[in-house]
Amino acid sequence: MSAPNQSGWKPGSPVQDHNAMSGPDTVTGNRALMLEEPLIFEIGTTETTGVDLPEAKGGANRLGGLDRNETIGLPGLSEPETVRHYTRLSRQNYAIDLGLFPLGSCTMKHNPRLNEKVARMPGFADVHPLQPVDTVRGALEVINELAFWLIDLTAMHGVAMSPKAGAHGELCGILCIRAALEARGDARKVILVPESAHGTNPATAAFAGYEIEDIPANSDGRVDLDALKSRLGPDVAGVMITNPSTLGLFERDLKAISDAVHEVGGFVYCDGANFNAIVGKVRPGDLGVDAMHINLHKTFSTPHGGGGPGSGPVVLSEALSPFAPLPYTARTKDGIVHLVEEEDADAFSEEHFDGVMQSFGRMTAFHGQMGMFTRALTYILSHGADGLRQVAEDAVLNANYILRSLEDVLDAPFGHSGPCMHEALFSDKGFAEDISTLDLAKALIDEGYHPMTMYFPLVVHGAMLVEPTETESKAALDQFITALRSVAERARAGDESLKTAPHYAPRRRLDETLAARKPVLAWEEPSPPGGTPTMSEQGGR
Amino acid sequence: MRYLPLTDADRSAMLEKIGAPDVDALFVDVPEEARLDGPIHGLPMHASEMAVEKHMRRLSKKNLAAADAAFFLGAGAYKHHVPASVDHIIQRGEFLTAYTPYQPEIAQGTLQMLFEFQSQVAHLYGCAVANASMYDGSTACWEAVAMASRIARGKKRKVVLSGALHPHYAEVVKTMAKFTDDEIAHAKPAMQAEPDSAGLMARIDEDTSCVVVQYPDILGRVTDLQPIAEAAHDKGALLIVVNTEPVALGAIKSPGEMGADIVVGEGQSIGVGLQFGGPYLGLFAVRDPKHVRMMPGRLCGETQDAEGKRGYVLTLSTREQHIRREKATSNICTNSGLCALAFSVHMTLLGEKGLRQLAAENHRLACLAADKLAEVPGVSVLNGSFFNEFTIRLGTDARAIVRRLAKDNVLAGVSLGRLFPQHEELSDGLIVAVTETTTEEDIETLVSALKEVLA
């Protein structure tokens, strides 16, 4: 347990010379400020702890005779070692705090630290979800105030705050649609999903028990209105449409689509993942949308934390609002914010919703992502009406600047059809035959950038989605454009070194096939010499 | 507008490059009649950092923070001390502001952490494999039920829920099952010293895909799960065990050890904090590795790079929505990465030794509180067994008592009337949770407050 580097790479053995720049070997495996770090299981012990707690002493025991006597196997580190372990790990991550993070349809923008400070105020961070409501009036006001602005910014009627992420919000919206249809005795079976929709959309509709049918895009990359109209009928529960779409385009015909869907008795779900491109410029409710989730981390800057948590409130039209999941909060005529849960839902709806509340149930324990609500509200108030509008304008301006600055070296499949919205879409057309989108992406890492979204959307071969967002300066964009231009030129020229990129990252290309073929998903004691089968071959510990 | 770096000169230069006369020309695809031209109705103009902070602080002060009260709430969310290092580390920008680790070469920090987290959870639960986390305990519970249905390939439709499962978790499962073909058999909750295992086992039949129990259960009772596991396995059903207090597993046998097939839970207790209900941390693990490919959620796996160095990647993604669309194992496309980091850092600080000490201290104080409360006239302690949470009966509606005591900054617990509004017969029950943050003085405060209101 004392070796400084247990990464599996033997210190002292010569490095395979993939790259002349890799330099001489080091004994530790470290390279100056780039440090190798073993697993906690290799450096910690079950007898080490970094906290001061009373020694466990005998006494009352009411554990029902189920004491855990066997060793659990959890490694501990002292406090200094813990801080150092995670600080070293952190340095192997790219993050928006380090540089431009152009992931299309993911929206990685600046995360203001005021939001973090507010979320940690004791009145928000240190309150229990089941405290008596009189002791959490301020928390309810935050939910209500945020709910108010979300409804206002989208021209909708109600909002379900509890969904825990964007995809959870999609499910919430689809379940509202299903509940509304069932309430009128209408058992429809089909949800139409355009090709340009997020991959979660069809998965969500399938999870809610619907059959999925694809709707093609036209040559401009928009939903083919005629194809959609010809498919509409009494079996169609609704359509799920992403606007702006994952092709970076605004669905010009959304209002016409909504009208057509409503005419046959269906509902329109809008995936609001890319709302930051239109906030303050156009309100989805005015385009006939019935339900739309809002990814708070995308539009309202809550940090993504290496993959979550997210938060996905769903705004609802008047027709769908009565079906929203519990719990919800609402301000009544007396100005008091009420938390409505199972116990008072009926009484509350009788008094305030003319008795039409027909909630489809509960999607999660407690009230949703309170810690994200405080951050999002802080952001909305910081930007205000003028700032939010500027957010959309700058996000769109930055994306178009990227599109027009690179379309001479990168194919832009829908560049002909006018401006893009939040993101610019490129493809691998024009690359040398053996160079892929992946190679270009990995070469961008060596230039100090996180790559753009790759191979998505699925409808474009070798797709690349670049989303700069509104929090990048022109200077930052110009430098990125220079880097991407150079890599694109190398891809066109067939530069073989792209195929072994990245050369300067903490790891060279990782073998994803090996990881899937022989899954190692938890740490195990190293095998004695001669080797024993992996965990999956053994059939469990 | 301090977050927007473009100057007006930049904007003009960029528009010129694009070849657009003004920024509105970029919104040409938005139908004119739907465009907003004026300011957003009602929303004030942008505000300074100082002004916003002041507004939010005013709202924050309208809440009673747990640290400012004698605090005894649990029922799925627990107040534990979180070491200062945890919050420091999760606020490092490289963790806080990173995205999903889709580019593993520059995301080894997040990926190695997730691998360590998965390993910690697997050990804690006595399972082979844990995933990289889910939204929270209640949604993980539903995903476990959905996974059991997938394993049964739709041939078994009955889901047996214990009456002692957290009612919110049961509601989530019932809500989602309304939209699938699963049939829910939910035992009625009952207030008795020992849970009704025999009654639960009698509900299991050949059509049962899974049985869901909570351990310790919603009333705090700790029961041997092995007979239930055997009864489930006899009928070809899976046992799903829900745990809402991971600290308990530093003191009591792991669910995996007792035969659970899927273990899910809420990880909030370790590192995350109360936060009025979210974001929390869903934990999800399976005892048998053969079930890995049926699992929902993200998984991080070990592999090698082109130089033979050990590294980590997200793996088995062929189950996921972006590849399989409507055939995906679930629609989720995120996890609770930052909460998983908080859990992992806190768990590393504790280590096995610290976790066991923490669990012992929780249990010691809970025993003390139970004994002191049992002496209050009108109060009886229900539980035969418990870890750090137990149920008392007050002989009167506990909701009113809780509201009354809150006026004196005593947050006495979670009333069963609030949790089970449709079960009036439970309304004199109060779930009391005690952790290492509870002082003996807090216990005295609760005891004398109850003596006074029940007199």
Side-chain angles (χ1 to χ4, degrees):
Chain A
M1 296 230 170
S2 59
N5 172 15
Q6 305 239 358
S7 73
W9 170 63
K10 291 184 191 63
S13 63
V15 177
Q16 290 172 34
D17 195 18
H18 285 294
N19 166 24
M21 299 292 285
S22 61
D25 196 7
T26 59
V27 177
T28 54
N30 299 331
R31 285 187 183 184
L33 287 173
M34 207 65 252
L35 305 166
E36 289 292 322
E37 184 62 10
L39 293 166
I40 50 172
F41 290 84
E42 293 160 341
I43 50 176
T45 78
T46 54
E47 290 306 308
T48 308
T49 180
V51 294
D52 285 324
L53 282 160
E55 282 294 334
K57 45 183 179 267
N61 178 328
R62 309 207 188 141
L63 300 173
L66 291 167
D67 299 57
R68 190 167 192 171
N69 297 317
E70 306 289 314
T71 301
I72 305 171
L74 291 165
L77 294 173
S78 67
E79 183 173 310
E81 290 170 306
T82 303
V83 170
R84 186 173 286 167
H85 173 73
Y86 288 99
T87 303
R88 284 176 164 217
L89 287 188
S90 73
R91 291 161 49 84
Q92 303 188 15
N93 267 4
Y94 195 94
I96 189 70
D97 278 2
L98 287 167
L100 197 148
F101 211 130
L103 278 173
S105 275
C106 297
T107 312
M108 292 297 287
K109 63 166 79 170
H110 175 57
N111 299 135
R113 290 313 194 273
L114 173 62
N115 302 359
E116 297 302 308
K117 186 175 183 181
V118 166
R120 284 168 173 81
M121 289 176 177
F124 301 133
D126 193 28
V127 287
H128 190 285
L130 298 173
Q131 274 182 223
V133 289
D134 279 340
T135 66
V136 291
R137 290 288 171 207
L140 297 178
E141 269 188 57
V142 166
I143 296 178
N144 189 266
E145 198 172 329
L146 176 61
F148 181 84
W149 296 125
L150 294 181
I151 289 170
D152 208 41
L153 290 166
T154 54
M156 300 293 273
H157 190 79
V159 57
M161 296 295 285
S162 72
K164 294 237 156 201
H168 205 220
E170 286 175 30
L171 198 54
C172 173
I174 292 299
L175 294 184
C176 283
I177 290 174
R178 186 158 164 175
L181 287 168
E182 283 177 359
R184 67 181 197 214
D186 198 348
R188 294 173 179 231
K189 285 267 177 280
V190 177
I191 294 268
L192 307 179
V193 183
E195 287 174 339
S196 57
H198 269 129
T200 46
N201 291 179
T204 295
F207 244 57
Y210 283 107
E211 291 163 24
I212 317 304
E213 288 182 29
D214 285 346
I215 297 294
N218 62 23
S219 60
D220 270 357
R222 269 81 175 184
V223 176
D224 187 329
L225 183 59
D226 292 334
L228 181 95
K229 276 185 173 169
S230 66
R231 178 56 193 86
L232 287 175
D235 61 334
V236 173
V239 54
M240 290 183 89
I241 197 160
T242 302
N243 192 27
S245 75
T246 59
L247 304 179
L249 303 172
F250 191 88
E251 294 291 352
R252 296 175 192 130
D253 295 329
L254 185 53
K255 185 73 173 71
I257 292 171
S258 301
D259 290 346
V261 172
H262 291 155
E263 202 165 303
V264 299
F267 292 98
V268 177
Y269 187 87
C270 180
D271 184 317
N274 306 320
F275 186 55
N276 65 315
I278 56 171
V279 61
K281 298 293 284 185
V282 55
R283 303 182 301 175
D286 293 335
L287 299 169
V289 167
D290 290 293
M292 181 179 94
H293 74 267
I294 300 169
N295 303 67
L296 294 185
H297 62 280
K298 293 185 176 179
T299 301
F300 299 115
S301 83
T302 69
H304 209 267
S311 180
V314 179
V315 287
L316 297 163
S317 64
E318 191 163 5
L320 293 186
S321 288
F323 303 94
L326 295 168
Y328 63 93
T329 55
R331 190 188 291 273
T332 50
K333 294 180 188 86
D334 53 11
I336 295 173
V337 178
H338 288 274
L339 167 65
V340 186
E341 297 190 76
E342 283 90 345
E343 62 175 307
D344 41 12
D346 290 341
F348 186 88
S349 18
E350 227 162 87
E351 197 178 339
H352 300 286
F353 283 83
D354 304 322
V356 292
M357 188 69 196
Q358 292 163 269
S359 170
F360 73 71
R362 182 181 271 275
M363 290 195 79
T364 173
F366 314 132
H367 318 300
Q369 308 289 61
M370 183 64 192
M372 301 293 126
F373 301 159
T374 47
R375 288 172 174 90
L377 179 59
T378 301
Y379 182 83
I380 288 175
L381 296 175
S382 297
H383 267 306
D386 50 342
L388 284 182
R389 190 183 172 82
Q390 194 70 53
V391 161
E393 291 182 355
D394 286 357
V396 173
L397 181 63
N398 282 356
N400 280 283
Y401 185 63
I402 298 248
L403 180 72
R404 296 302 167 211
S405 299
L406 287 165
E407 61 187 349
D408 60 326
V409 286
L410 281 172
D411 172 60
F414 301 105
H416 62 274
S417 73
C420 61
M421 298 302 288
H422 56 296
E423 60 196 354
L425 174 64
F426 300 107
S427 86
D428 63 353
K429 204 165 144 190
F431 286 11
E433 200 162 306
D434 59 341
I435 305 285
S436 67
T437 293
L438 182 77
D439 299 326
L440 175 139
K442 298 298 184 193
L444 206 50
I445 289 175
D446 282 338
E447 298 291 344
Y449 289 103
H450 193 285
M452 64 289 276
T453 294
M454 301 182 301
Y455 300 116
F456 187 81
L458 304 173
V459 289
V460 173
H461 187 273
M464 292 172 268
L465 268 179
V466 181
E467 178 165 1
T469 84
E470 68 279 6
T471 57
E472 296 301 332
S473 68
K474 180 171 178 296
L477 295 180
D478 285 336
Q479 193 188 42
F480 174 72
I481 287 163
T482 304
L484 185 49
R485 166 177 294 281
S486 149
V487 179
E489 281 167 354
R490 288 163 62 200
R492 297 176 86 87
D495 181 344
E496 290 292 309
S497 72
L498 292 187
K499 284 162 48 181
T500 51
H503 300 95
Y504 308 126
R507 285 292 178 274
R508 302 294 293 272
R509 260 188 230 196
L510 285 149
D511 189 343
E512 304 199 21
T513 313
L514 174 70
R517 199 177 334 114
K518 288 189 167 179
V520 178
L521 306 167
W523 182 82
E524 286 187 279
E525 287 284 352
S527 323
T532 51
T534 65
M535 182 183 69
S536 55
E537 289 158 354
Q538 263 175 352
R541 67 164 56 91
Chain B
M1 283 184 268
R2 57 195 173 276
Y3 306 140
L4 301 176
L6 294 184
T7 64
D8 282 340
D10 291 335
R11 292 185 181 111
S12 304
M14 291 163 75
L15 284 166
E16 194 174 327
K17 167 80 189 172
I18 294 165
D22 53 38
V23 76
D24 273 337
L26 302 178
F27 289 84
V28 65
D29 289 326
V30 178
E32 215 154 312
E33 64 275 16
R35 276 189 231 171
L36 286 177
D37 287 328
I40 301 158
H41 170 73
L43 186 59
M45 295 294 135
H46 68 274
S48 70
E49 177 158 332
M50 193 167 76
V52 177
E53 190 177 329
K54 195 171 171 187
H55 174 78
M56 296 304 288
R57 190 174 301 282
R58 188 182 61 78
L59 291 176
S60 163
K61 285 198 182 286
K62 289 186 178 184
N63 304 313
L64 175 58
D68 295 330
F71 184 89
F72 297 91
L73 277 80
Y78 302 88
K79 176 181 176 245
H80 289 288
H81 176 72
V82 178
S85 311
V86 174
D87 195 42
H88 167 78
I89 287 164
I90 69 169
Q91 286 205 70
R92 280 191 68 91
E94 304 92 326
F95 283 128
L96 183 76
T97 75
Y99 195 67
T100 301
Y102 288 143
Q103 297 288 341
E105 295 83 2
I106 46 171
Q108 286 298 301
T110 292
L111 286 160
Q112 181 171 333
M113 175 278 287
L114 289 176
F115 185 81
E116 293 173 339
F117 167 80
Q118 288 174 183
S119 305
Q120 286 172 319
V121 174
H123 279 96
L124 188 69
Y125 278 180
C127 285
V129 183
N131 74 11
S133 81
M134 308 193 74
Y135 304 143
D136 72 349
S138 65
T139 51
C141 179
W142 156 250
E143 291 283 353
V145 168
M147 175 177 158
S149 295
R150 277 198 300 281
I151 289 172
R153 291 198 180 80
K155 287 180 188 138
K156 289 165 175 271
R157 283 300 183 195
K158 188 167 153 188
V159 176
V160 174
L161 301 183
S162 157
L165 174 62
H166 193 297
H168 288 175
Y169 288 46
E171 283 302 323
V172 171
V173 173
K174 286 181 183 175
T175 296
M176 302 305 295
K178 275 191 230 166
F179 302 96
T180 64
D181 295 328
D182 294 305
E183 176 206 334
I184 304 294
H186 189 192
K188 264 179 70 172
M191 270 217 273
Q192 49 200 39
E194 304 295 334
D196 178 20
S197 298
L200 184 76
M201 289 189 281
R203 288 166 181 268
I204 307 170
D205 60 21
E206 303 292 340
D207 192 37
T208 304
S209 66
C210 60
V211 182
V212 186
V213 297
Q214 186 173 327
Y215 170 81
D217 69 21
I218 184 65
L219 301 182
R221 300 168 302 189
V222 181
T223 325
D224 187 0
L225 303 173
Q226 282 185 72
I228 303 170
E230 282 164 24
H233 296 156
D234 278 351
K235 303 284 187 191
L238 299 184
L239 178 64
I240 297 170
V241 175
V242 176
N243 169 267
T244 64
E245 173 50 294
V247 175
L249 300 179
I252 55 176
K253 282 191 199 316
S254 73
E257 209 177 328
M258 284 187 280
D261 298 287
I262 307 174
V263 187
V264 293
E266 178 49 68
Q268 171 272 332
S269 275
I270 312 274
V272 177
L274 288 169
Q275 306 197 89
F276 199 51
Y280 280 2
L281 173 65
L283 307 180
F284 196 114
V286 293
R287 184 168 51 91
D288 187 339
K290 79 169 184 244
H291 287 144
V292 161
R293 283 169 206 270
M294 292 289 194
M295 275 173 95
R298 287 183 179 149
L299 283 165
C300 172
E302 186 182 308
T303 188
Q304 292 184 351
D305 79 350
E307 289 177 344
K309 285 191 192 178
R310 181 173 67 182
Y312 302 90
V313 294
L314 293 182
T315 191
L316 302 182
S317 62
T318 47
R319 307 161 303 127
E320 286 179 21
Q321 37 78 21
H322 57 275
I323 295 173
R324 301 235 305 165
R325 289 173 70 92
E326 67 267 27
K327 293 188 183 65
T329 44
S330 103
N331 74 322
I332 53 181
C333 77
T334 191
N335 61 335
S336 294
L338 202 67
C339 299
L341 174 65
F343 179 101
S344 198
V345 177
H346 192 181
M347 191 60 99
T348 300
L349 281 165
L350 288 168
E352 177 150 350
K353 183 180 181 190
L355 179 68
R356 285 187 179 275
Q357 288 173 337
L358 179 64
E361 181 67 356
N362 273 250
H363 189 55
R364 180 184 78 81
L365 285 162
C367 289
L368 181 71
D371 289 343
K372 296 265 185 193
L373 287 166
E375 289 167 13
V376 177
V379 171
S380 59
V381 175
L382 178 78
N383 297 50
S385 62
F386 60 85
F387 169 63
N388 68 352
E389 186 170 30
F390 52 86
T391 301
I392 59 176
R393 304 191 73 151
L394 301 177
T396 176
D397 192 328
R399 276 173 290 200
I401 302 289
V402 167
R403 282 196 290 265
R404 168 67 194 79
L405 296 192
K407 291 185 199 306
D408 297 328
N409 286 3
V410 178
L411 297 177
V414 177
S415 63
L416 289 184
R418 175 138 188 212
L419 278 177
F420 296 94
Q422 62 281 56
H423 291 280
E424 202 50 43
E425 72 280 7
L426 303 179
S427 61
D428 80 327
L430 180 69
I431 305 171
V432 176
V434 175
T435 72
E436 76 286 355
T437 64
T438 314
T439 62
E440 296 188 15
E441 196 186 351
D442 290 335
I443 296 171
E444 288 303 334
T445 304
L446 175 62
V447 165
S448 40
L450 274 177
K451 272 185 187 157
E452 198 183 312
V453 294
L454 292 176

